[in-house]
Amino acid sequence: MKQTVGYAALLSRASLAPFTFERRQLQPHDVLIDILYCGICRSDIHEVRNEWWETKYPIVPGHEIIGRVALVGALVKKFAVGDLAAVGPIVGSCGACRACKEHLEQFCEQEFTEAFNSPDPYSDGVTYGGYSQNIVVNEKFVFHLPEEFKNADLAAVAPLLCAGITTYSALRHWKVGPG
């Protein structure tokens, strides 16, 4: 396990404060990402304030993550140390149900794993998000940054992992174009 420092809320009305915790052990298909930037989403605020009535404290929010791969598991094929990587809201799923087999993990019939405040399938605790130094994620749920983003302002790219893709997905699905 890797000791990590993040920013956590300990109670629903508490400010975020430094919080030390253990990241899970690297699995064969995992990548360890040193976080460079993490966007701030309204969902983070809802969760921290327990406005959806399901928050488990302490909570380390953050699901719009841009970082650099620091370590790869023995069976990782898509990433190498030093690659720029991105992580969005979903960091795991059962992988076996119909939805997962159709690459629709957001509809996982068993329950997908969120970047933060989800039951952690590798421990008795919950997942901690991107308001931290690093994160461990299965390579299937990590994205390469497209070449055109490599010279972009990475702080501005991070919000694309939630708000950006949410909007883009709907436009793409309905084939919305100019005009």
Side-chain angles (χ1 to χ4, degrees):
M1 293 192 163
K2 182 171 179 59
Q3 190 170 44
T4 300
V5 176
Y7 285 88
L10 303 180
L11 302 165
S12 65
R13 295 294 172 201
S15 297
L16 295 180
F19 174 70
T20 301
F21 62 97
E22 297 285 327
R23 282 286 180 205
R24 67 179 170 85
Q25 199 73 19
L26 200 69
Q27 302 297 307
H29 289 282
D30 286 344
V31 295
L32 170 68
I33 300 167
D34 287 337
I35 297 172
L36 301 172
Y37 300 98
C38 184
I40 298 173
C41 179
R42 181 65 191 172
S43 297
D44 298 327
I45 297 167
H46 286 304
E47 287 278 0
V48 165
R49 292 183 179 164
N50 197 23
E51 292 171 350
W52 293 332
W53 309 288
E54 58 189 28
T55 303
K56 296 157 200 84
Y57 294 96
I59 180 173
V60 177
H63 62 272
E64 300 173 336
I65 301 165
I66 300 288
R68 192 168 300 280
V69 175
L71 193 61
V72 297
L75 300 177
V76 169
K77 295 188 180 351
K78 292 175 25 180
F79 292 91
V81 171
D83 286 351
L84 281 175
V87 177
I90 299 175
V91 297
S93 70
C94 81
C97 70
R98 186 175 47 92
C100 288
K101 288 182 179 179
E102 292 176 9
H103 305 290
L104 297 169
E105 291 86 355
Q106 70 272 24
F107 300 117
C108 179
E109 295 164 17
Q110 301 300 312
E111 182 175 6
F112 58 80
T113 304
E114 295 180 74
F116 69 92
N117 205 42
S118 260
D120 187 339
Y122 299 95
S123 73
D124 292 332
V126 297
T127 56
Y128 293 126
Y131 294 5
S132 58
Q133 295 173 315
N134 55 53
I135 192 165
V136 176
V137 181
N138 182 294
E139 70 176 320
K140 180 177 181 177
F141 296 92
V142 179
F143 306 95
H144 281 279
L145 288 181
E147 196 61 39
E148 56 267 22
F149 284 98
K150 299 226 172 164
N151 294 321
D153 175 3
L154 296 178
V157 172
L160 295 176
L161 291 153
C162 184
I165 197 63
T166 300
T167 303
Y168 174 75
S169 294
L171 294 172
R172 184 174 177 203
H173 176 79
W174 294 106
K175 298 177 177 64
V176 175

